Amino acid sequence: MSTENEGTAAPTPPAAPSVPPAPASETQAGAPGPAPVAPPAAPAYAPAAEPVTQQLPPTPAPGTEQTRQFPPTPAPEAPAYGQAPAYGQAPAPAYGQAPAPAAHGAEGWPPPPPTVPAYEQGGGHGGPVWGAPLTADGAPAPKPKGKGGLIAGVLVAALLAGGIGGGVGYWAAERSNNGTGSTTISAATPKDLKREAGSIAGLAAGALPSVVTIEASAGDGEGGTGTGFVYDQQGHILTNNHVVASAANGGKLFAIFSDGKKYDAEVVGRAQGYDVAVLKLKTPPAGLKPLPLGDSDKVAVGDSTIAIGAPFGLSNTVTTGIVSAKNRPVASGDGTGAKNSYMSALQTDASINPGNSGGPLLDGRGAVIGINSAIQSAGNGGFGGGQAGSIGLGFAIPINQAKNVAESLIKTGKPVYPVISVSVDLQAKAEGAKISEQGAAANELVDPNGPAGKAGLKPGDIITEFGGKPVDSGPTLISMIWTYKPGDTVKLTYLRGGKPTTVDITLGSRIGDK
């Protein structure tokens, strides 16, 4: 949150006279002066109303509260010509009179400044010079006549500088003549900056040639921009389903590499539920370099991350962050009313925006640990409307899951989903995933021949744990099931009448999207 300082300006001192005031006549020298005028009252400090600043989200971060700056203290004003001196100062003598001796004990240091400005140091106006030393009898020392003192001081300084300069010049010339040294000093030319292969710059340089910007357009011309990366040397590109969905049926797809070269591409297969798709370059170039794949199961919170993509169409953009959380259940959609995708996501604070979708999320070694897929926005499309933008909450499909989906799509062109064959109530307000009790026949809500039916589950049961991890909702259960493979055996805990029961379930399979 930005802070604003405020304060009142220092009061403007009265302007000094542009010319010396005319001296009074000799007949007026002994006349009483004008009545003392009280000095103007100092203006009271009255700060303006402090503006309110606010940062979204509303709760301000510590240390970002509004601050106030005290106004500068105005310098004391010298009394105007003809006014009485300030309290504690001796009155100035009338023009042409000698100053009266100070009363006993009245001497102070430093002596008061002159009440009348002195012009040209020898003009005869005013009292003793401010800061002038006193003689033995307490009177001010005689002042130098005219500008002589100032000129002498300047000359002395010039002579000293000239003497020092001459001495240095002679010493340098003597050393130069003797061939023993030089006074020329030049800055050292910096060496070429070498970036280590493991630095962010080094990792980005190695990964960028394998990342592509995807342009997808439907038959009616509508489409968008996303990101993908080289999966193998045969020209397969891994990306999100929602990046290519508009061009999946008769549209056009192009993959543009970081060197600007553009290639036609086609959809090999896509999985709407996983939000994963595989493309293939129609004429892949030689020397394709697939990005290395990491192990998303071994990722730890706090690990470094690097995201590469084309946010808002800005290709080859690199951002960094950390793994903020693991196994984050996410149900994502594109806002068009299409079915949601579910993932047990890696959460990162690396900046991810529209156009980053489908791009790689790298670890600190440059290996892919996830496919950037979704973001949490501040609501209503971000600030001031329009497309949503990053607020530091990005989500990536773990690469272990995406790899399994990609292999299935390359082999068969269709996704395979692990299932327990129940209908889950996604709107239920329960401490877990509730199996639906209405909307279809009981044998459709729980398939008696499916994994859950064979384990004894019924409509109305609430699943609270899956694979030893807590389940808090229907979307969470789906995202957790899809991290496994068909045929895996998993422990499941459910509640019936408030009583928990734990069973082993062997996951079934479903081919294709519904």
Side-chain angles (χ1 to χ4, degrees), residues 189-212:
T189 302
K191 297 180 179 179
D192 290 339
L193 179 61
K194 294 183 179 180
R195 297 176 177 86
E196 299 295 332
S199 66
I200 293 174
L203 295 174
L208 278 168
S210 300
V211 179
V212 299

Side-chain angles (χ1 to χ4, degrees), residues 265-331:
E266 59 186 352
V267 176
V268 171
R270 58 194 187 99
Q272 183 271 324
Y274 291 120
D275 197 19
V276 173
V278 175
L279 311 182
K280 191 174 188 302
L281 304 178
K282 292 182 178 180
T283 55
L288 285 177
K289 183 181 178 182
L291 286 181
L293 305 183
D295 186 347
S296 54
D297 291 338
K298 295 182 179 180
V299 169
V301 173
D303 282 352
S304 298
T305 59
I306 302 174
I308 303 179
F312 296 102
L314 300 174
S315 301
N316 310 317
T317 295
V318 177
T319 56
T320 63
I322 63 169
V323 174
S324 304
K326 294 177 60 177
N327 302 316
R328 185 73 78 191
V330 175

Side-chain angles (χ1 to χ4, degrees), residues 1-17:
M1 180 177 72
S2 60
T3 59
E4 294 187 12
N5 297 334
E6 62 177 358
T8 55
T12 305

Side-chain angles (χ1 to χ4, degrees), residues 471-491:
V471 175
D472 59 7
S473 66
T476 299
L477 175 63
I478 296 172
S479 65
M480 293 173 70
I481 292 173
W482 287 355
T483 62
Y484 292 87
K485 296 179 182 179
D488 289 345
T489 299
V490 187
K491 287 190 177 296

Side-chain angles (χ1 to χ4, degrees), residues 63-91:
T64 59
E65 296 83 0
Q66 292 172 326
T67 59
R68 176 177 294 177
Q69 184 181 53
F70 289 102
T73 303
E77 297 182 21
Y81 177 75
Q83 290 185 348
Y87 176 76
Q89 296 181 355

Side-chain angles (χ1 to χ4, degrees), residues 54-347:
Q54 189 174 17
Q55 183 186 37
L56 295 177
T59 306
T64 59
E65 296 83 0
Q66 292 172 326
T67 59
R68 176 177 294 177
Q69 184 181 53
F70 289 102
T73 303
E77 297 182 21
Y81 177 75
Q83 290 185 348
Y87 176 76
Q89 296 181 355
Y95 178 75
Q97 291 184 350
H104 176 72
E107 297 93 349
W109 186 260
T115 56
V116 180
Y119 298 94
E120 298 294 334
Q121 295 288 332
H125 296 289
V129 178
W130 171 250
L134 300 178
T135 60
D137 60 357
K143 295 179 291 184
K145 300 299 182 180
K147 299 183 180 179
L150 177 61
I151 295 174
V154 172
L155 289 177
V156 169
L159 288 172
L160 287 174
I164 295 173
V168 171
Y170 173 79
W171 174 80
E174 184 180 35
R175 288 180 60 85
S176 178
N177 292 336
N178 293 338
T180 58
S182 172
T183 57
T184 302
I185 301 175
S186 60
T189 302
K191 297 180 179 179
D192 290 339
L193 179 61
K194 294 183 179 180
R195 297 176 177 86
E196 299 295 332
S199 66
I200 293 174
L203 295 174
L208 278 168
S210 300
V211 179
V212 299
T213 299
I214 298 174
E215 293 181 353
S217 60
D220 56 4
E222 294 184 1
T225 301
T227 307
F229 59 93
V230 177
Y231 182 72
D232 57 27
Q233 292 182 333
Q234 287 70 46
H236 289 108
I237 305 294
L238 198 54
T239 186
N240 283 145
N241 171 70
H242 73 264
V243 170
V244 302
S246 62
N249 298 311
K252 293 183 179 181
L253 283 170
F254 298 98
I256 306 171
F257 283 79
S258 59
D259 60 4
K261 294 182 179 180
K262 189 173 184 177
Y263 296 86
D264 288 335
E266 59 186 352
V267 176
V268 171
R270 58 194 187 99
Q272 183 271 324
Y274 291 120
D275 197 19
V276 173
V278 175
L279 311 182
K280 191 174 188 302
L281 304 178
K282 292 182 178 180
T283 55
L288 285 177
K289 183 181 178 182
L291 286 181
L293 305 183
D295 186 347
S296 54
D297 291 338
K298 295 182 179 180
V299 169
V301 173
D303 282 352
S304 298
T305 59
I306 302 174
I308 303 179
F312 296 102
L314 300 174
S315 301
N316 310 317
T317 295
V318 177
T319 56
T320 63
I322 63 169
V323 174
S324 304
K326 294 177 60 177
N327 302 316
R328 185 73 78 191
V330 175
S332 62
D334 58 6
T336 62
K339 295 180 180 179
N340 284 337
S341 300
Y342 298 92
M343 67 184 98
S344 185
L346 295 175
Q347 179 182 327

